[in-house]
Amino acid sequence: MKYCLFVLIGQLLATATWAQDVIDEKPTVDTVAVNDAAGNLQAITLTATRKNTAFLSIPYSVSLLTQEDINRNQFRTTPEALVGTPGVFIQKTNHGGGSPFVRGLTGNQTLLLMDGIRLNNSTYRFGPNQYFNTIDPWTISKIEVARGTGSVQYGSDALGGVIQVFTQEPAFTKTPEWGGSIRGKLTTQDMEYSGRGTVTYQSEKLALVAGYSRKKFGDLYGGDTTGRQSPSGYQEQSLDVKLKYQLTANAVFILAHQWLRQEEVPLYHRVQLENFAYYNFAPQQRKLSYAKLELTGRHKLFQKITFISSFQNSLEHRDYFRNGNTNRFMEEDRVRTIGLVADVLSAISGSWTANSGIEYYHDKVMSSKQQVTLANNQSINQRGLYPNAATSGNFSLYSLHHIKKGDFDIEAGLRYNSFSIRIPDTVTTALKLGDITVRPSSLVGNLAVSFRLSQYQSVYGSLSTGYRAPNIDDLGTLGLVDFRYEIPAYDLQPEKTYNTEIGYRLNTKNITASVALFYMHLANLITRVPVPGQQVGGYNVYTKVNSQRSYMRGAEWSFHYRLGKALVIKNNMAWQYGQNLSANEPMRRIPPFNGSLLMEYQVQKWGAGAAYLFAGKQGRLAKGDRDDNRIPKGGTPGWQVMNVYGNYRLGQLKLFLSLQNIFNQDYRTHGSGINGMGRSCSMMMELLL
């Protein structure tokens, strides 16, 4: 296959110069520029261990995407920024979405974090969703991905892993300074017009960063014979502010607010495949405000204490009308979330530290639906997608221990998590089950070990359990979801996973490489099953049950090589195989073999690069995949895409140019509802003030 040839060429180019002693301190995708005493490039990660940890000492599979990567590649959205990351596969139901699969799991089975705060709430859906696209990529300083771990570190939903976004952090300076930037971007065929203004203030005790973005995304043009995919365009605007204040020598206070709103986001496949005149998220909105206090303690048991108080408000309003129907519908779901986090880093001994803490999140869901008769414009209130005024309380205690013994680095921890979910389903229908409360709970643990083979190499292995408590979406959904009609299910138990993995890392001055093998057993998986003989509006009726035992196994490969001081070669690949043991069929939506090969050349003022992205055919389909109108009969064909890009700096002006899909290939990522972008050109300019 052609993509295998490209990958082999990249590996041969890198291997041919393996022995060269190239000295360079520029970070690769998986590292941050921090050097140890011997001059070797080290990586710092927070997500996998909740503390700063050197790359070779991390006993988990992790990846890092930097702000430089996001700017240089001109990623349109935050989900698209993760394309090509090992172990991560991006599915796009619509142009305004993008759902990351981590080790074959997505939606409410992958945990999303923002600056240490959970984004997953009690209405996050099973399967692909669009919530990761409510993060403006121009506000990001880095994205960390921890694969196959996270339940002990961060709680429910981290079955596949954790994706954490860190927003830009203002810095202190000895003398007061004002600064900022203005940037603009456009893409051919009117596919994008975006702009952003940022202002910064830095001083000895006070620092501030604030920005406003406005974006207009036109209809997406696919490759070759696809052409314009309408309706798929939408508009977006966002506002963010972060203030940092040095209270004392040992105390820093951070106050932040984020707001993003997307208008008239079409669900393309509903219009094209299901005879809808329109189906729009109008609007889709996320708000997050938080206050963080970081204290540096003088006692070894209280080396660092972090308190976070957060408030989130998400809004999803859906307008839809199906051709031939006498009614149109409007649905609205609001989720208000209060979060409290307290984390203490303790030094138990010279080689033993621990993170211990308490977390509490509380959701309140307001859900409504209106049926509007076209003939007389009369409106009738109906039960929303979720029971109105449903609530969910999420409380947990955890303790993570980090032990270093010689060449061994050990991570071990426990978390107890309990929920109290109230479902006031009092609508008078045949489905009425009354006002109920469910209280699932779980105790999970992990044990992971990394062993230094040498100054440049390590091996690691981990055993961990994970869980996901049923949420309000699982328990109380009533209405049209994807290509089915769902009814509530109130007797669900937590989903559980048992993860094992082994891996190898190499980290020298010019090479960063890792390979991992993993096996994950999944039990009590919540799955949709048809209710025999029932239909609503032409759609088959489904409900959810704990009916599935499955397993997932796979391999991940990442190889980054610096040839000289300017040229970098990067190769990432991932393969997963999932099997539903209960139904004796493949698991749903398993990504095919996929990966990327990148070559980048960067000197002081300019740079250029090429990215080759590929995915094999996915013909292993579950019954649910075969019933999914977004997946072609026989499976999703394999594809290959080539992109090129360049950048140039002229004083305070930065110029970025990229050409996507230069061979104009038709392609669709597996499970997506819209084809990928065809041949197009994007240009971005940034002026530093």
Side-chain angles (χ1 to χ4, degrees):
M1 298 169 69
K2 286 189 287 185
Y3 60 78
C4 290
L5 179 61
F6 276 91
V7 171
L8 288 173
I9 291 173
Q11 291 174 281
L12 288 172
L13 286 171
T15 306
T17 51
W18 182 283
Q20 293 186 17
D21 185 18
V22 180
I23 300 176
D24 189 81
E25 298 179 357
K26 186 175 179 181
T28 65
V29 167
D30 285 333
T31 60
V32 176
V34 177
N35 292 1
D36 64 12
N40 299 314
L41 192 63
Q42 297 293 297
I44 298 300
T45 186
L46 299 172
T47 300
T49 60
R50 291 195 78 118
K51 67 184 290 288
N52 290 357
T53 307
F55 183 56
L56 286 178
S57 299
I58 303 169
Y60 304 107
S61 296
V62 298
S63 294
L64 174 67
L65 191 75
T66 67
Q67 184 181 35
E68 181 184 20
D69 298 317
I70 295 172
N71 288 339
R72 183 173 56 241
N73 291 277
Q74 296 186 57
F75 296 114
R76 187 185 69 89
T77 67
T78 298
E80 291 173 8
L82 288 176
V83 171
T85 302
V88 182
F89 190 75
I90 303 299
Q91 184 266 16
K92 289 177 64 67
T93 293
N94 61 334
H95 194 38
S99 190
F101 282 66
V102 180
R103 291 193 169 172
L105 301 178
T106 191
N108 55 23
Q109 295 176 326
T110 295
L111 180 59
L112 306 179
L113 300 172
M114 170 77 79
D115 293 339
I117 300 164
R118 291 176 61 95
L119 294 184
N120 290 43
N121 62 42
S122 55
T123 65
Y124 267 38
R125 297 190 290 273
F126 169 77
N129 58 48
Q130 75 280 19
Y131 306 119
F132 199 49
N133 193 36
T134 62
I135 301 172
D136 184 351
W138 284 348
T139 67
I140 296 173
S141 64
K142 63 177 178 176
I143 304 175
E144 293 182 358
V145 182
R147 306 186 294 276
T149 186
S151 286
V152 174
Q153 295 93 323
Y154 295 101
S156 179
D157 300 2
L159 299 184
V162 178
I163 300 175
Q164 177 154 208
V165 174
F166 293 90
T167 56
Q168 295 173 17
E169 192 82 13
F172 297 120
T173 57
K174 291 185 178 180
T175 58
E177 295 179 10
W178 284 95
S181 65
I182 300 173
R183 69 172 64 179
K185 180 185 174 186
L186 59 85
T187 302
T188 54
Q189 298 168 294
D190 296 324
M191 282 192 285
E192 181 178 356
Y193 297 96
S194 298
R196 177 173 173 82
T198 303
V199 62
T200 62
Y201 175 75
Q202 298 171 308
S203 66
E204 188 173 3
K205 290 191 174 183
L206 179 66
L208 170 75
V209 59
Y212 174 76
S213 301
R214 191 170 184 88
K215 304 178 182 182
K216 180 181 179 181
F217 299 112
D219 287 335
L220 178 65
Y221 280 76
D224 197 12
T225 60
T226 298
R228 181 179 178 180
Q229 300 175 93
S230 181
S232 57
Y234 63 98
Q235 296 190 43
E236 173 183 304
Q237 54 181 323
S238 66
L239 175 70
D240 55 279
V241 181
K242 183 182 286 187
L243 181 146
K244 191 173 183 180
Y245 184 66
Q246 186 86 46
L247 294 172
T248 68
N250 300 318
V252 175
F253 179 70
I254 300 172
L255 192 63
H257 176 72
Q258 303 164 12
W259 169 81
L260 184 142
R261 183 181 178 95
Q262 297 168 336
E263 302 284 358
E264 303 293 337
V265 185
L267 203 54
Y268 173 76
H269 77 281
R270 282 281 170 86
V271 176
Q272 293 298 316
L273 301 177
E274 298 181 16
N275 197 31
F276 277 79
Y278 59 86
Y279 194 111
N280 297 324
F281 296 101
Q284 179 171 280
Q285 180 175 281
R286 180 183 64 85
K287 295 180 182 179
L288 168 62
S289 300
Y290 70 84
K292 179 187 293 187
L293 180 62
E294 296 179 341
L295 304 173
T296 303
R298 297 180 179 179
H299 194 282
K300 64 180 182 179
L301 294 181
F302 301 97
Q303 280 196 339
K304 184 177 180 180
I305 305 173
T306 304
F307 298 101
I308 306 176
S309 174
S310 62
F311 176 76
Q312 299 182 64
N313 191 325
S314 68
L315 166 64
E316 184 178 306
H317 184 98
R318 299 175 295 277
D319 289 344
Y320 58 91
F321 169 63
R322 195 174 188 185
N323 290 319
N325 205 328
T326 58
N327 304 305
R328 62 183 179 90
F329 295 90
M330 295 180 292
E331 298 180 341
E332 183 173 287
D333 302 317
R334 292 180 180 269
V335 184
R336 296 170 183 165
T337 305
I338 296 173
L340 299 170
V341 177
D343 180 86
V344 179
L345 176 63
S346 305
I348 299 173
S349 70
S351 59
W352 181 0
T353 61
N355 285 86
S356 302
I358 300 174
E359 293 183 352
Y360 178 74
Y361 290 89
H362 183 272
D363 291 351
K364 183 173 183 179
V365 179
M366 308 303 294
S367 185
S368 63
K369 180 178 180 179
Q370 286 184 302
Q371 173 185 293
V372 181
T373 304
L374 297 180
N376 56 15
N377 208 33
Q378 183 177 352
S379 177
I380 300 174
N381 292 328
Q382 297 182 343
R383 191 247 204 210
L385 183 63
Y386 308 115
N388 192 46
T391 59
S392 175
N394 174 355
F395 173 79
S396 59
L397 297 168
Y398 65 88
S399 187
L400 309 172
H401 294 258
H402 327 285
I403 302 170
K404 186 172 184 61
K405 287 290 185 181
D407 291 326
F408 286 92
D409 290 276
I410 303 169
E411 295 282 329
L414 289 172
R415 176 182 287 254
Y416 172 74
N417 208 162
S418 67
F419 289 78
S420 178
I421 305 171
R422 178 175 173 263
I423 308 289
D425 207 349
T426 57
V427 177
T428 305
T429 70
L431 299 172
K432 175 183 173 182
L433 292 176
D435 191 337
I436 67 166
T437 300
V438 294
R439 294 185 172 88
S441 62
S442 287
L443 178 67
V444 291
N446 64 4
L447 175 62
V449 179
S450 175
F451 177 71
R452 288 280 186 117
L453 297 172
S454 70
Q455 182 180 351
Y456 308 104
Q457 303 175 80
S458 66
V459 293
Y460 63 94
S462 68
L463 301 170
S464 61
T465 56
Y467 73 101
R468 188 187 74 82
N471 62 16
I472 291 172
D473 178 78
D474 296 310
L475 298 166
T477 297
L478 176 64
L480 187 62
V481 179
D482 289 336
F483 53 90
R484 62 182 69 83
Y485 191 92
E486 290 191 13
I487 60 176
Y490 294 128
D491 57 350
L492 300 174
Q493 301 299 315
E495 299 176 315
K496 296 182 179 181
T497 59
Y498 305 90
N499 295 282
T500 59
E501 74 170 318
I502 56 173
Y504 165 82
R505 284 196 180 95
L506 174 69
N507 193 32
T508 69
K509 297 173 184 177
N510 59 335
I511 298 171
T512 300
S514 63
V515 61
L517 303 175
F518 70 88
Y519 179 88
M520 176 169 53
H521 180 79
L522 303 99
N524 271 354
L525 282 187
I526 297 172
T527 57
R528 297 180 175 109
V529 297
V531 179
Q534 291 193 25
Q535 284 193 339
V536 174
Y539 290 89
N540 293 329
V541 175
Y542 282 71
T543 190
K544 296 188 182 79
V545 296
N546 291 103
S547 65
Q548 188 182 130
R549 289 188 309 110
S550 301
Y551 70 82
M552 185 89 65
R553 65 172 184 254
E556 297 160 354
W557 160 266
S558 179
F559 185 90
H560 300 173
Y561 182 73
R562 189 171 298 280
L563 181 61
K565 292 188 177 182
L567 180 63
V568 178
I569 299 171
K570 308 175 184 180
N571 175 216
N572 299 320
M573 294 186 292
W575 170 81
Q576 291 119 28
Y577 181 95
Q579 183 70 12
N580 180 341
L581 299 173
S582 300
N584 192 27
E585 66 172 9
M587 289 182 65
R588 286 210 61 194
R589 303 187 185 93
I590 297 301
F593 173 61
N594 65 91
S596 63
L597 175 64
L598 298 91
M599 295 187 183
E600 297 176 346
Y601 185 85
Q602 186 73 44
V603 291
Q604 287 185 344
K605 290 186 176 182
W606 67 276
Y612 174 74
L613 308 172
F614 67 87
K617 177 181 177 180
Q618 182 52 283
R620 295 189 69 248
L621 304 178
K623 183 180 183 304
D625 293 331
R626 295 193 297 270
D627 292 340
D628 192 332
N629 53 25
R630 295 166 293 188
I631 298 177
K633 290 184 178 179
T636 304
W639 52 266
Q640 306 157 57
V641 171
M642 178 73 76
N643 304 325
V644 295
Y645 51 88
N647 62 84
Y648 181 75
R649 180 164 183 169
L650 181 63
Q652 298 299 99
L653 181 65
K654 294 181 179 179
L655 301 175
F656 301 87
L657 184 69
S658 66
L659 181 63
Q660 297 90 15
N661 196 355
I662 60 177
F663 298 117
N664 205 30
Q665 296 295 303
D666 270 324
Y667 75 101
R668 175 175 293 197
T669 56
H670 182 56
S672 296
I674 193 168
N675 284 1
M677 183 180 292
R679 184 188 296 120
S680 59
C681 181
S682 296
M683 183 177 70
M684 185 175 76
M685 294 185 295
E686 182 178 18
L687 178 63
L688 303 178
L689 303 176

